[in-house]
mmCIF file of all heavy atoms in Angstrom:
data_model
loop_
_atom_site.group_PDB
_atom_site.id
_atom_site.type_symbol
_atom_site.label_atom_id
_atom_site.label_comp_id
_atom_site.label_asym_id
_atom_site.label_seq_id
_atom_site.Cartn_x
_atom_site.Cartn_y
_atom_site.Cartn_z
ATOM 1 N N ALA B 264 -86.535 -24.551 -120.696
ATOM 2 C CA ALA B 264 -85.831 -24.269 -121.957
ATOM 3 C C ALA B 264 -84.496 -25.000 -122.008
ATOM 4 O O ALA B 264 -84.063 -25.421 -123.085
ATOM 5 C CB ALA B 264 -85.628 -22.760 -122.122
ATOM 6 N N VAL B 265 -83.835 -25.182 -120.853
ATOM 7 C CA VAL B 265 -82.549 -25.888 -120.850
ATOM 8 C C VAL B 265 -82.728 -27.307 -121.383
ATOM 9 O O VAL B 265 -81.945 -27.780 -122.196
ATOM 10 C CB VAL B 265 -81.945 -25.921 -119.423
ATOM 11 C CG1 VAL B 265 -80.751 -26.861 -119.373
ATOM 12 C CG2 VAL B 265 -81.519 -24.535 -118.992
ATOM 13 N N GLY B 266 -83.785 -27.967 -120.930
ATOM 14 C CA GLY B 266 -83.982 -29.354 -121.336
ATOM 15 C C GLY B 266 -84.836 -29.514 -122.570
ATOM 16 O O GLY B 266 -85.224 -30.623 -122.911
ATOM 17 N N GLU B 267 -85.126 -28.413 -123.255
ATOM 18 C CA GLU B 267 -86.041 -28.459 -124.388
ATOM 19 C C GLU B 267 -85.522 -29.410 -125.484
ATOM 20 O O GLU B 267 -84.358 -29.368 -125.877
ATOM 21 C CB GLU B 267 -86.215 -27.033 -124.943
ATOM 22 C CG GLU B 267 -87.171 -26.926 -126.101
ATOM 23 C CD GLU B 267 -88.556 -27.467 -125.788
ATOM 24 O OE1 GLU B 267 -89.135 -27.069 -124.763
ATOM 25 O OE2 GLU B 267 -89.059 -28.306 -126.563
ATOM 26 N N PHE B 268 -86.427 -30.256 -125.974
ATOM 27 C CA PHE B 268 -86.048 -31.218 -127.007
ATOM 28 C C PHE B 268 -86.787 -30.978 -128.318
ATOM 29 O O PHE B 268 -86.202 -30.941 -129.391
ATOM 30 C CB PHE B 268 -86.312 -32.637 -126.497
ATOM 31 C CG PHE B 268 -86.364 -33.644 -127.602
ATOM 32 C CD1 PHE B 268 -85.209 -33.976 -128.304
ATOM 33 C CD2 PHE B 268 -87.564 -34.237 -127.977
ATOM 34 C CE1 PHE B 268 -85.257 -34.887 -129.328
ATOM 35 C CE2 PHE B 268 -87.611 -35.144 -129.015
ATOM 36 C CZ PHE B 268 -86.458 -35.480 -129.694
ATOM 37 N N VAL B 269 -88.099 -30.760 -128.199
ATOM 38 C CA VAL B 269 -88.935 -30.698 -129.397
ATOM 39 C C VAL B 269 -88.548 -29.527 -130.300
ATOM 40 O O VAL B 269 -88.386 -29.707 -131.511
ATOM 41 C CB VAL B 269 -90.430 -30.601 -128.997
ATOM 42 C CG1 VAL B 269 -91.291 -30.397 -130.227
ATOM 43 C CG2 VAL B 269 -90.852 -31.843 -128.238
ATOM 44 N N ILE B 270 -88.377 -28.347 -129.699
ATOM 45 C CA ILE B 270 -88.134 -27.157 -130.515
ATOM 46 C C ILE B 270 -86.814 -27.253 -131.277
ATOM 47 O O ILE B 270 -86.803 -27.070 -132.505
ATOM 48 C CB ILE B 270 -88.240 -25.870 -129.660
ATOM 49 C CG1 ILE B 270 -89.681 -25.737 -129.150
ATOM 50 C CG2 ILE B 270 -87.843 -24.637 -130.458
ATOM 51 C CD1 ILE B 270 -89.869 -24.690 -128.092
ATOM 52 N N PRO B 271 -85.685 -27.551 -130.610
ATOM 53 C CA PRO B 271 -84.450 -27.693 -131.409
ATOM 54 C C PRO B 271 -84.527 -28.842 -132.407
ATOM 55 O O PRO B 271 -83.940 -28.747 -133.491
ATOM 56 C CB PRO B 271 -83.349 -27.935 -130.370
ATOM 57 C CG PRO B 271 -84.032 -28.199 -129.098
ATOM 58 C CD PRO B 271 -85.401 -27.640 -129.186
ATOM 59 N N ALA B 272 -85.252 -29.907 -132.078
ATOM 60 C CA ALA B 272 -85.337 -31.038 -133.001
ATOM 61 C C ALA B 272 -86.105 -30.651 -134.256
ATOM 62 O O ALA B 272 -85.743 -31.049 -135.364
ATOM 63 C CB ALA B 272 -86.007 -32.222 -132.321
ATOM 64 N N LEU B 273 -87.171 -29.863 -134.103
ATOM 65 C CA LEU B 273 -88.011 -29.544 -135.253
ATOM 66 C C LEU B 273 -87.527 -28.313 -136.012
ATOM 67 O O LEU B 273 -87.604 -28.246 -137.220
ATOM 68 C CB LEU B 273 -89.459 -29.328 -134.810
ATOM 69 C CG LEU B 273 -90.198 -30.570 -134.317
ATOM 70 C CD1 LEU B 273 -91.623 -30.205 -133.920
ATOM 71 C CD2 LEU B 273 -90.207 -31.647 -135.387
ATOM 72 N N LEU B 274 -87.067 -27.294 -135.276
ATOM 73 C CA LEU B 274 -86.730 -26.043 -135.938
ATOM 74 C C LEU B 274 -85.230 -25.853 -136.117
ATOM 75 O O LEU B 274 -84.802 -25.109 -136.987
ATOM 76 C CB LEU B 274 -87.299 -24.850 -135.145
ATOM 77 C CG LEU B 274 -88.807 -24.852 -134.890
ATOM 78 C CD1 LEU B 274 -89.201 -23.646 -134.056
ATOM 79 C CD2 LEU B 274 -89.576 -24.845 -136.197
ATOM 80 N N GLY B 275 -84.430 -26.494 -135.224
ATOM 81 C CA GLY B 275 -82.988 -26.267 -135.243
ATOM 82 C C GLY B 275 -82.282 -27.080 -136.298
ATOM 83 O O GLY B 275 -82.819 -28.064 -136.816
ATOM 84 N N GLY B 276 -81.058 -26.684 -136.591
ATOM 85 C CA GLY B 276 -80.251 -27.396 -137.556
ATOM 86 C C GLY B 276 -79.453 -28.494 -136.871
ATOM 87 O O GLY B 276 -79.541 -28.659 -135.656
ATOM 88 N N PRO B 277 -78.668 -29.220 -137.658
ATOM 89 C CA PRO B 277 -77.878 -30.311 -137.084
ATOM 90 C C PRO B 277 -76.845 -29.789 -136.087
ATOM 91 O O PRO B 277 -76.447 -30.510 -135.187
ATOM 92 C CB PRO B 277 -77.207 -30.938 -138.310
ATOM 93 C CG PRO B 277 -77.303 -29.927 -139.397
ATOM 94 C CD PRO B 277 -78.512 -29.106 -139.123
ATOM 95 N N ASP B 278 -76.418 -28.537 -136.229
ATOM 96 C CA ASP B 278 -75.385 -28.033 -135.329
ATOM 97 C C ASP B 278 -75.954 -27.287 -134.119
ATOM 98 O O ASP B 278 -75.204 -26.862 -133.258
ATOM 99 C CB ASP B 278 -74.398 -27.138 -136.089
ATOM 100 C CG ASP B 278 -75.114 -26.082 -136.903
ATOM 101 O OD1 ASP B 278 -76.238 -26.388 -137.372
ATOM 102 O OD2 ASP B 278 -74.593 -24.970 -137.069
ATOM 103 N N SER B 279 -77.284 -27.114 -134.072
ATOM 104 C CA SER B 279 -77.830 -26.491 -132.863
ATOM 105 C C SER B 279 -78.001 -27.586 -131.811
ATOM 106 O O SER B 279 -79.048 -28.190 -131.668
ATOM 107 C CB SER B 279 -79.140 -25.762 -133.144
ATOM 108 O OG SER B 279 -80.057 -26.619 -133.739
ATOM 109 N N LEU B 280 -76.922 -27.799 -131.098
ATOM 110 C CA LEU B 280 -76.821 -28.923 -130.194
ATOM 111 C C LEU B 280 -77.409 -28.528 -128.854
ATOM 112 O O LEU B 280 -76.958 -27.576 -128.221
ATOM 113 C CB LEU B 280 -75.336 -29.250 -130.039
ATOM 114 C CG LEU B 280 -74.967 -30.628 -129.549
ATOM 115 C CD1 LEU B 280 -75.502 -31.688 -130.481
ATOM 116 C CD2 LEU B 280 -73.458 -30.701 -129.469
ATOM 117 N N MET B 281 -78.439 -29.254 -128.421
ATOM 118 C CA MET B 281 -78.950 -28.987 -127.081
ATOM 119 C C MET B 281 -79.048 -30.298 -126.331
ATOM 120 O O MET B 281 -79.207 -31.359 -126.920
ATOM 121 C CB MET B 281 -80.298 -28.274 -127.150
ATOM 122 C CG MET B 281 -80.105 -26.786 -127.439
ATOM 123 S SD MET B 281 -81.638 -25.857 -127.407
ATOM 124 C CE MET B 281 -81.973 -25.735 -125.679
ATOM 125 N N ILE B 282 -78.986 -30.194 -125.016
ATOM 126 C CA ILE B 282 -78.807 -31.381 -124.209
ATOM 127 C C ILE B 282 -79.999 -32.331 -124.319
ATOM 128 O O ILE B 282 -79.838 -33.546 -124.275
ATOM 129 C CB ILE B 282 -78.484 -30.992 -122.750
ATOM 130 C CG1 ILE B 282 -77.766 -32.140 -122.042
ATOM 131 C CG2 ILE B 282 -79.711 -30.567 -121.977
ATOM 132 C CD1 ILE B 282 -76.385 -32.404 -122.575
ATOM 133 N N GLY B 283 -81.187 -31.761 -124.523
ATOM 134 C CA GLY B 283 -82.374 -32.599 -124.664
ATOM 135 C C GLY B 283 -82.253 -33.514 -125.879
ATOM 136 O O GLY B 283 -82.623 -34.691 -125.839
ATOM 137 N N ARG B 284 -81.668 -32.954 -126.954
ATOM 138 C CA ARG B 284 -81.502 -33.731 -128.169
ATOM 139 C C ARG B 284 -80.440 -34.817 -128.003
ATOM 140 O O ARG B 284 -80.603 -35.942 -128.463
ATOM 141 C CB ARG B 284 -81.091 -32.791 -129.295
ATOM 142 C CG ARG B 284 -82.043 -32.870 -130.470
ATOM 143 C CD ARG B 284 -81.704 -31.793 -131.425
ATOM 144 N NE ARG B 284 -81.215 -32.353 -132.676
ATOM 145 C CZ ARG B 284 -80.835 -31.580 -133.690
ATOM 146 N NH1 ARG B 284 -80.844 -30.275 -133.559
ATOM 147 N NH2 ARG B 284 -80.433 -32.125 -134.804
ATOM 148 N N VAL B 285 -79.356 -34.433 -127.314
ATOM 149 C CA VAL B 285 -78.290 -35.405 -127.053
ATOM 150 C C VAL B 285 -78.856 -36.575 -126.253
ATOM 151 O O VAL B 285 -78.585 -37.748 -126.542
ATOM 152 C CB VAL B 285 -77.130 -34.733 -126.283
ATOM 153 C CG1 VAL B 285 -76.118 -35.758 -125.810
ATOM 154 C CG2 VAL B 285 -76.464 -33.680 -127.161
ATOM 155 N N LEU B 286 -79.673 -36.238 -125.270
ATOM 156 C CA LEU B 286 -80.297 -37.249 -124.409
ATOM 157 C C LEU B 286 -81.121 -38.224 -125.244
ATOM 158 O O LEU B 286 -81.017 -39.443 -125.118
ATOM 159 C CB LEU B 286 -81.193 -36.528 -123.407
ATOM 160 C CG LEU B 286 -81.685 -37.293 -122.197
ATOM 161 C CD1 LEU B 286 -80.516 -37.647 -121.310
ATOM 162 C CD2 LEU B 286 -82.681 -36.443 -121.429
ATOM 163 N N TRP B 287 -81.910 -37.659 -126.126
ATOM 164 C CA TRP B 287 -82.766 -38.461 -126.998
ATOM 165 C C TRP B 287 -81.934 -39.396 -127.865
ATOM 166 O O TRP B 287 -82.213 -40.584 -127.996
ATOM 167 C CB TRP B 287 -83.614 -37.521 -127.873
ATOM 168 C CG TRP B 287 -84.390 -38.203 -128.949
ATOM 169 C CD1 TRP B 287 -83.947 -38.529 -130.194
ATOM 170 C CD2 TRP B 287 -85.730 -38.664 -128.868
ATOM 171 N NE1 TRP B 287 -84.932 -39.152 -130.906
ATOM 172 C CE2 TRP B 287 -86.047 -39.251 -130.119
ATOM 173 C CE3 TRP B 287 -86.718 -38.621 -127.874
ATOM 174 C CZ2 TRP B 287 -87.294 -39.800 -130.388
ATOM 175 C CZ3 TRP B 287 -87.961 -39.156 -128.148
ATOM 176 C CH2 TRP B 287 -88.240 -39.755 -129.387
ATOM 177 N N GLU B 288 -80.874 -38.821 -128.455
ATOM 178 C CA GLU B 288 -80.047 -39.617 -129.353
ATOM 179 C C GLU B 288 -79.341 -40.735 -128.624
ATOM 180 O O GLU B 288 -79.225 -41.857 -129.131
ATOM 181 C CB GLU B 288 -79.041 -38.723 -130.100
ATOM 182 C CG GLU B 288 -79.702 -38.060 -131.296
ATOM 183 C CD GLU B 288 -78.960 -36.851 -131.798
ATOM 184 O OE1 GLU B 288 -77.799 -36.638 -131.385
ATOM 185 O OE2 GLU B 288 -79.543 -36.104 -132.602
#
Side-chain angles (χ1 to χ4, degrees):
Chain B
V265 170
E267 182 56 51
F268 162 69
V269 174
I270 296 169
L273 291 180
L274 303 178
D278 50 328
S279 55
L280 200 59
M281 281 185 75
I282 202 68
R284 236 171 114 181
V285 171
L286 195 66
W287 171 274
E288 278 161 13

